[in-house]
Amino acid sequence: MRTFVRCFVFILSALVVQAFPVSLFAQSAGSSGTVNISVTDASGAVIPGATVIIENPVSGLNRASKTDASGNSQFTNLPLNPYHLSVSMAGFASQSQDVVVRSTVPQSIKIAMQVGAAATTVTVTGSDLIEDSTGLHTDLDRDSFQKVPLESQSSGLSSLVTMSSPGVAADSNGLFHGLGDHASNSFSVDGQDITDQQSKVFSNQLPSNAVQSIEVISGAPPAEYGDKTSLIINVTTRSGQGVTQPTGSITSSYGTFGSATGSVDVSYGKENWGNFFEFDGLNTSRFLDPPEFKVFHDRGNEENVFDRADRTLSAKDSVHLNLNYSRSWFQNPNSYDNLNVQNVLSGGASDSPVIGNVGDTDQKAQIETFNIAPLYTRIVSPYSVFNFGPYIRKDDYNYYPSGNPLADRGPANLQTSSIAQNRTLTNAGVHSDLSWTKGINTAKIGARYEQTFLRENDALGIVDPTYNAPCVDADGNPIAGYSATSECPVAANSSYLSVLGPYDLTRGGSYYHWFGHTDVKELALYVEDQIKAGNWLFSLGIRGDLYNGLTKANQAEPRVGLDYTIKQTNTVLRASYARTLETPFNENLVLSSIGCGNAVLSPLLLCTPGVGTTMQPGFRNEFHAGLQQAFGKNLVISGDYIWKYTHNAFDFSVLGNTPITFPIDWHNSKIPGFALRADVPNFHNISAYVVMSSVAARFFPQQVAGAGATVGQSGYPFRIDHDEKYNETTHLQYTIPGKHSPWVGFNWRYDSGLVAGSAPCYNVTDPNSSCASTSITLPDGRPGIDLSGLTYDEQFEAGLICDGVKATPTSGFTQCDAAGLTSKLVKIPAPGTEDDDKNPQRIQPRNLFDLSVGQDNLFNGDRYKWSLRLTGTNITNKYALYNFLSTFSGTHYVSPRALTAEVGFHF
């Protein structure tokens, strides 16, 4: 399959580039705009050789071109944003004007130059920093985000979103949670929606080196977006169209953890065609975020191939093609509890089984992803553009158990089963839209049909000899050995399930094989219009979704918004509302929905009686109110206050100590909060931004559907494990004055800490407390906390300190007085104060600092340039956690200090 896909990518790309006739026109791909400029003198005579610059000082986009012999210039592949356009030519006074690209419909701008002295600089005013928009969003162009130091090399796009967008809670392994919801994010890549999870334990995402610009929509979603809408990441990829001389780069880096990368990219084309090709690879000893600060058993590698081909067929017709293939292989990181595992060596079904060292846990995974997305674009009239794009995308996920499956045994609260999985998720569909722009209206009507083919092959076998033991001792504790309750020397185990007996690997059993599949069909129709009336902008839209998977749902979803611009003060006031259909996550959807109805799987999945077996789609009402304010020409602030109410709110649970995670469904959620971004575009070679947010993730029982252990069944609201009170990122960038000067990029990321509901605590009075199971009274009458449910290593991972004594991987505590239990990694509420809603256990706040220093032209070359970049992440080597025994992903530490040197050759 891998060889076939690679060959298909190269062959199809070559055919698209070479097979069509030459034309003098170009159009952008389906989610970006085009601006055509015609430059003349006062008499109407064309002016060739004039310099045309288009820029957005907030996003960082800045492009320049020269008018051709006909006095024409063109900018394609422009994100939908406002721009400042300027034209200069020797002997003529410079001209400038603002251009707003709201649609894929090409805009034609005519500029008449007057005789006079040309200005030498482009003047940016406060009005260039604000934008008529009914929703909060973040815009970043490649010119600005290239200098942002990123913590995840294998999930660069996710890291960029986390470090640049407000409302994002950072989680382990490149995952991020937008505006209080679990990973409810959509990536729209050149108009193709990807709504499946993009963390590196689920899928391989688009390489950041292929990205030209991104827009992160955190306001109310427009009608064209559905499925997962908490955050919409609208990506415009790089294009070779108009790059008349081959341009590209070759880079290589090496750093901490033996991390080595290499990449090659090439852009080339003419006015009527173009091709961009990118290949990159990574090999590292720290691919995932492990459950120990010390790194071991964490190797991984990744390879990406991306190609975008653009071809103009005529003045009205063009085609575009995106091709992508990615492969990743990685070890599932071990904890100290996974070393020298003790399990049955022989005689597992006898009365005296031999228990000994069966080796270290050695679980691994491999993910292959390919994507093929052609797009046809036709200019129907000067006011309208039609797009039609089929696509197919597939994730092939393989999870491999240890060579000796008995080595997969972990502590009772981590892993009792050995698991193998092959899972495929294939999205095949088509999207089509017609955009129309004239006068005060910018309208769009569209449709999207997608069929998702889910195939889940799972093999499970019990590897804990006491998990389903037929017999118990005199104290009622399960004991190893024996194969039937009739053999018990003392007493039979009343909890023994004979249906699991054939699949107990410790007693000579074999794997239980399960195959689940379904096809999820989704149809969406939408119409939207932006109406510009003076200082007012009205956004009106409605979307209809029909969902047909393991269950059915349909929803009519109005989307409305308005903003008012106060030009005298450069202020924009806005408000918006959206109704959305919330669809279940596709990853392991069949296992979670059907598995609890299976007699063998139900106990292994920790299913709860009374919880439904099928995920039901939900619906959401969300409201946003905000403003944007420019202060002079050097500062702009934009923010929203948010209310979101969701019926049937989705979350995730985990199967043992594995990456096998699956969706679950809660009764409802209420998510209030705010998100804020401030930008300093450029002030004396300094640019900066600050993003900050406080978004609550308040969920309400009961658990409606899905596998996994149920929490919060008291009936009171609780904070889900990705809830975070506050987070903030500050990015500062400085270029030393001079033509070939070095630059510095600096990040400061503050996180107040995710919920750590599995951390021990003491509270026996509050009905909304999760601490009842660990609250005890010590022999001397003092309040105490039972720690026997945690292994010594888990206590060490949580940084627990009992009366001044620290836990280690091999020594810890069975109990501790409540007032004497502390931790520098986990925030444990004071005795009697824990509340799952208002004061839950949390990860301790952390400050992380990253730094990059670079020189883009080491030897002052003109055509050929060498670059050098030195990057340090977590430069203070902060010892901190992302999460602790999270119901979603377990325990993970942030990366220790990592230093990387990168050298590049650019042509």
Side-chain angles (χ1 to χ4, degrees), residues 715-791:
Y716 294 90
F718 63 96
R719 301 299 177 102
I720 213 124
D721 60 4
H722 56 259
D723 174 90
E724 187 167 51
K725 284 186 176 181
Y726 180 74
N727 56 61
E728 175 186 330
T729 300
T730 300
H731 174 71
L732 181 66
Q733 200 166 291
Y734 176 65
T735 302
I736 298 174
K739 187 177 181 181
H740 306 291
S741 298
W743 52 266
V744 178
F746 175 77
N747 291 340
W748 166 34
R749 172 76 183 189
Y750 172 79
D751 286 277
S752 65
L754 302 179
V755 167
S758 297
C761 57
Y762 180 88
N763 192 336
V764 295
T765 58
D766 189 347
N768 196 40
S769 171
S770 62
C771 300
S773 61
T774 59
S775 299
I776 59 174
T777 300
L778 298 178
D780 60 6
R782 290 181 300 165
I785 298 176
D786 181 6
L787 299 174
S788 62
L790 300 176
T791 68

Side-chain angles (χ1 to χ4, degrees), residues 210-495:
V211 175
Q212 178 60 50
S213 62
I214 64 172
E215 175 196 30
V216 182
I217 301 173
S218 46
E224 62 187 286
Y225 300 107
D227 247 352
K228 310 292 186 295
T229 57
S230 285
L231 281 184
I232 298 160
I233 300 96
N234 199 348
V235 178
T236 301
T237 60
R238 298 170 68 180
S239 172
Q241 192 157 346
V243 183
T244 56
Q245 188 172 1
T247 302
S249 60
I250 303 171
T251 64
S252 180
S253 72
Y254 186 80
T256 310
F257 313 120
S259 299
T261 68
S263 69
V264 178
D265 65 78
V266 180
S267 303
Y268 182 59
K270 299 295 183 183
E271 282 71 20
N272 66 301
W273 68 273
N275 193 79
F276 170 78
F277 171 82
E278 190 268 352
F279 171 82
D280 66 77
L282 162 71
N283 187 67
T284 179
S285 293
R286 193 185 189 280
F287 191 85
L288 299 181
D289 295 314
E292 308 286 355
F293 195 67
K294 181 180 179 181
V295 180
F296 55 91
H297 197 267
D298 198 8
R299 296 198 63 83
N301 56 70
E302 183 180 66
E303 301 83 37
N304 291 292
V305 180
F306 176 82
D307 189 271
R308 169 173 166 172
D310 301 271
R311 184 75 181 188
T312 300
L313 308 180
S314 68
K316 294 185 176 181
D317 302 287
S318 64
V319 292
H320 315 271
L321 177 65
N322 284 1
L323 302 169
N324 185 210
Y325 171 78
S326 299
R327 173 195 170 274
S328 61
W329 175 95
F330 50 91
Q331 296 173 319
N332 193 40
N334 283 344
S335 66
Y336 289 112
D337 281 331
N338 297 124
L339 305 181
N340 301 316
V341 177
Q342 301 296 301
N343 212 331
V344 174
L345 293 175
S346 62
S350 70
D351 60 357
S352 56
V354 178
I355 306 294
N357 182 4
V358 294
D360 299 342
T361 305
D362 184 23
Q363 300 164 342
K364 300 173 286 291
Q366 177 177 281
I367 306 174
E368 291 186 278
T369 303
F370 78 82
N371 186 74
I372 303 172
L375 179 71
Y376 168 72
T377 300
R378 179 173 177 82
I379 299 178
V380 180
S381 74
Y383 313 109
S384 58
V385 168
F386 171 75
N387 288 302
F388 179 83
Y391 59 89
I392 182 170
R393 183 178 186 276
K394 182 176 182 179
D395 282 329
D396 188 346
Y397 177 93
N398 286 276
Y399 181 66
Y400 306 103
S402 301
N404 180 355
L406 296 181
D408 288 341
R409 180 189 183 186
N413 57 338
L414 283 182
Q415 187 165 347
T416 57
S417 304
S418 177
I419 303 162
Q421 184 181 69
N422 169 248
R423 171 173 58 85
T424 61
L425 188 159
T426 306
N427 303 120
V430 61
H431 62 96
S432 182
D433 59 75
L434 177 67
S435 298
W436 181 76
T437 300
K438 189 174 184 181
I440 65 173
N441 298 94
T442 301
K444 190 174 187 178
I445 183 170
R448 171 179 172 264
Y449 176 79
E450 179 177 89
Q451 190 157 345
T452 302
F453 303 90
L454 301 178
R455 303 292 182 265
E456 300 172 12
N457 292 276
D458 297 283
L460 296 92
I462 296 172
V463 293
D464 184 342
T466 63
Y467 173 75
N468 190 48
C471 305
V472 297
D473 61 17
D475 296 324
N477 300 313
I479 57 176
Y482 308 100
S483 60
T485 55
S486 60
E487 302 172 355
C488 298
V490 178
N493 184 356
S494 60
S495 299

Side-chain angles (χ1 to χ4, degrees), residues 521-538:
K521 308 172 188 68
E522 296 178 81
L523 174 66
L525 305 172
Y526 64 88
V527 59
E528 59 189 16
D529 190 13
Q530 288 189 335
I531 304 170
K532 180 66 176 172
N535 291 343
W536 289 94
L537 177 68
F538 300 93

Side-chain angles (χ1 to χ4, degrees), residues 164-239:
S164 62
S165 305
V168 177
D171 209 333
S172 55
N173 297 324
L175 191 76
F176 60 88
H177 306 288
L179 300 179
D181 285 296
H182 170 87
S184 181
N185 315 305
S186 292
F187 286 81
S188 178
V189 181
D190 293 334
Q192 176 195 353
D193 291 342
I194 302 173
T195 61
D196 304 311
Q197 296 190 76
Q198 293 295 286
S199 164
K200 54 191 171 185
V201 295
F202 287 110
S203 177
N204 301 312
Q205 63 183 223
L206 183 75
S208 59
N209 195 36
V211 175
Q212 178 60 50
S213 62
I214 64 172
E215 175 196 30
V216 182
I217 301 173
S218 46
E224 62 187 286
Y225 300 107
D227 247 352
K228 310 292 186 295
T229 57
S230 285
L231 281 184
I232 298 160
I233 300 96
N234 199 348
V235 178
T236 301
T237 60
R238 298 170 68 180
S239 172

Side-chain angles (χ1 to χ4, degrees), residues 64-87:
S65 70
K66 296 282 188 179
T67 55
D68 60 18
S70 301
N72 297 320
S73 181
Q74 184 182 67
F75 294 101
T76 62
N77 212 38
L78 291 171
L80 306 186
N81 275 319
Y83 296 97
H84 187 77
L85 183 72
S86 59
V87 182

